[in-house]
Amino acid sequence: MRDKKELQERAVREAAEGRPLLELALELGVSTTTLRRWISASEARTKARGSARKVATSLSREKYSEASQRMRLLIHALEQSPATIIVTDADGRIIYANPKFTETTGYSTEEAIGQTPRFLKSGFTPPEEYHRLWKTIRVGKEWRGEFRNKRKDGTLYWERASISPVFDAEGHIANFMAVKENITEFKEAEAARQQAEERFRAVVTAMAEGVLLLDPDGRIVLSNAAAECMLGHTGEQLAGRRLDELNLRWLNERGETVPPESHPVRRVMEGGESMHQAVYALLPPSGGLRWLSVNAGPVPSGSGAPSTTVVSFSDITERRGAEERLKLVGSAFDNSIEGIMITDSGNRIVSVNAAFSEITGYSRGEAIGKSPSLLASGRHGQAFFRDMWETLATTGRWQGEVWNRRKDGRLYPAWLSISVVRAEDGSVDQYVTLFF
């Protein structure tokens, strides 16, 4: 207790003599806040005895030496700094922390004085990083890096720090000073951006459509597995290359080769307009014609910088083949010399061809929606049709000769072939009837 009293008296005395508070705080191992409290208490006691003039004058006088004035400005800068500033002795024990330290960590200056900064450790900074830190500053060099530390309330925060040694008059390391910036918001924003990018990549990777992202120069910066498969190149082969450098042959719907300068993606990049569902054929190096439905459009940067371009394409080879087959079937349907009638599962006519109308005299409009019984001649009994439906149900097909009646009432013999068309679940979808 006596030692502390003597320390306080010495501090008050030397402060009254004009010694800078920060210099005095560093020497005595206390904070400037503690010094001010001691001085204020001494001042109050002195005023009570009527002899406060010397201390009061030392705290409020306007005339300082040049060195003292510089020290006063330095103290003010440290106390008002928006960055956390910590000063330790040569053993790493804190002898000074500015108000920003308390604001950032939640610890008061009194709680920090005498401790090493390790009480802020969160466990997330690798020990190797601390080893590099001490190895650097103990040889007199500055260390720069980042910490993920823990506040008094247990929450974590990020700091970017610069720690450097302070030398005494003889060139020995006397102190270490750390200047630290709270970068928690930046780190959280960066983490959110990375998560969003990872989610975007995961979605793009899982897409059945091929996707390419091109930079303003037309070079591929992102591709998914579907694009790599359709283009016949790996991701490594696509990265950094333009489409016209990939040894791909593009054809229009007429089968004509599309020159590089007329490629639709180039037109999108140069004109800035989007392209939707344009159909092109592609011949990759591995061979095998693919028909693609291509979409492309600019992606604005938002900063005025040149935009990137996103290209997506679907493999429609099978669909196009099916369409061609349907065209062929349709042509055969329309041009067949046999009458063709298609009915639904409820035995209502849904389609007839031209030969049907020529043979029966009923136009397509007159037949659609009706039952095939409009052709009934009356010559076949119920047993005939019962046998027909039983055969269709068991074998899926029936053939035989029937007598039908034309629209004008005349009867004619016809050879019928009826086939059942089933849905994926096995149920009856349609009946197809051919007759001549």
Side-chain angles (χ1 to χ4, degrees), residues 275-324:
M275 171 181 65
H276 302 287
Q277 298 181 348
V279 176
Y280 290 90
L282 175 67
L283 278 171
S286 57
L289 184 72
R290 289 180 183 270
W291 284 97
L292 304 178
S293 175
V294 184
N295 299 280
V299 181
S301 64
S303 61
S307 61
T308 55
T309 302
V310 63
V311 183
S312 64
F313 39 92
S314 302
D315 189 336
I316 60 170
T317 306
E318 290 188 9
R319 188 184 80 189
R320 192 174 177 88
E323 290 173 350
E324 293 296 331

Side-chain angles (χ1 to χ4, degrees), residues 121 124-136 143-148:
K121 283 185 177 181
F124 286 96
T125 304
E128 296 79 13
E129 190 65 25
Y130 290 110
H131 176 73
R132 284 191 291 269
L133 184 163
W134 282 105
K135 184 178 179 180
T136 300
W143 177 89
R144 291 178 180 269
E146 295 178 355
F147 296 116
R148 194 179 186 190

Side-chain angles (χ1 to χ4, degrees), residues 250-258 279-281 291 320:
W250 295 82
L251 309 175
N252 60 26
E253 290 194 87
R254 297 186 297 276
E256 302 166 339
T257 299
V258 179
V279 176
Y280 290 90
W291 284 97
R320 192 174 177 88

Side-chain angles (χ1 to χ4, degrees), residues 264-390:
V265 174
R266 174 172 288 188
R267 295 205 306 269
V268 169
M269 295 184 64
E270 293 176 351
E273 296 183 359
S274 298
M275 171 181 65
H276 302 287
Q277 298 181 348
V279 176
Y280 290 90
L282 175 67
L283 278 171
S286 57
L289 184 72
R290 289 180 183 270
W291 284 97
L292 304 178
S293 175
V294 184
N295 299 280
V299 181
S301 64
S303 61
S307 61
T308 55
T309 302
V310 63
V311 183
S312 64
F313 39 92
S314 302
D315 189 336
I316 60 170
T317 306
E318 290 188 9
R319 188 184 80 189
R320 192 174 177 88
E323 290 173 350
E324 293 296 331
R325 289 192 294 273
L326 284 174
K327 287 180 181 178
L328 182 61
V329 171
S331 177
F333 180 84
D334 291 335
N335 295 290
S336 174
I337 62 173
E338 297 177 321
I340 302 176
M341 175 178 64
I342 301 175
T343 60
D344 60 20
S345 59
N347 205 29
R348 293 287 174 181
I349 299 172
V350 295
S351 183
V352 296
N353 69 346
F356 171 93
S357 298
E358 184 178 340
I359 294 170
T360 67
Y362 288 99
S363 68
R364 185 174 185 277
E366 292 172 318
I368 297 298
K370 303 293 195 307
S371 168
S373 62
L374 89 164
L375 302 176
S377 64
R379 287 195 173 191
H380 304 287
Q382 293 183 355
F384 177 85
F385 290 107
R386 184 170 57 250
D387 291 341
M388 175 193 292
W389 285 110
E390 287 178 355

Side-chain angles (χ1 to χ4, degrees), residues 7-17 24 38-39 42 55:
L7 188 66
Q8 291 178 358
E9 290 175 350
R10 176 189 168 190
V12 172
R13 183 175 63 256
E14 293 189 15
E17 292 172 354
L24 188 56
W38 289 352
I39 293 171
S42 176
V55 175

Side-chain angles (χ1 to χ4, degrees), residues 219-268:
R219 299 191 180 278
I220 299 170
V221 295
L222 182 147
S223 62
N224 68 348
E228 293 160 15
C229 177
M230 294 183 208
L231 299 180
H233 289 74
T234 65
E236 290 75 14
Q237 292 170 331
L238 293 175
R241 301 177 70 185
R242 297 187 180 92
L243 285 175
D244 57 10
E245 298 174 345
L246 297 177
N247 191 28
L248 301 173
R249 185 182 175 193
W250 295 82
L251 309 175
N252 60 26
E253 290 194 87
R254 297 186 297 276
E256 302 166 339
T257 299
V258 179
E261 61 273 14
S262 300
H263 195 282
V265 174
R266 174 172 288 188
R267 295 205 306 269
V268 169

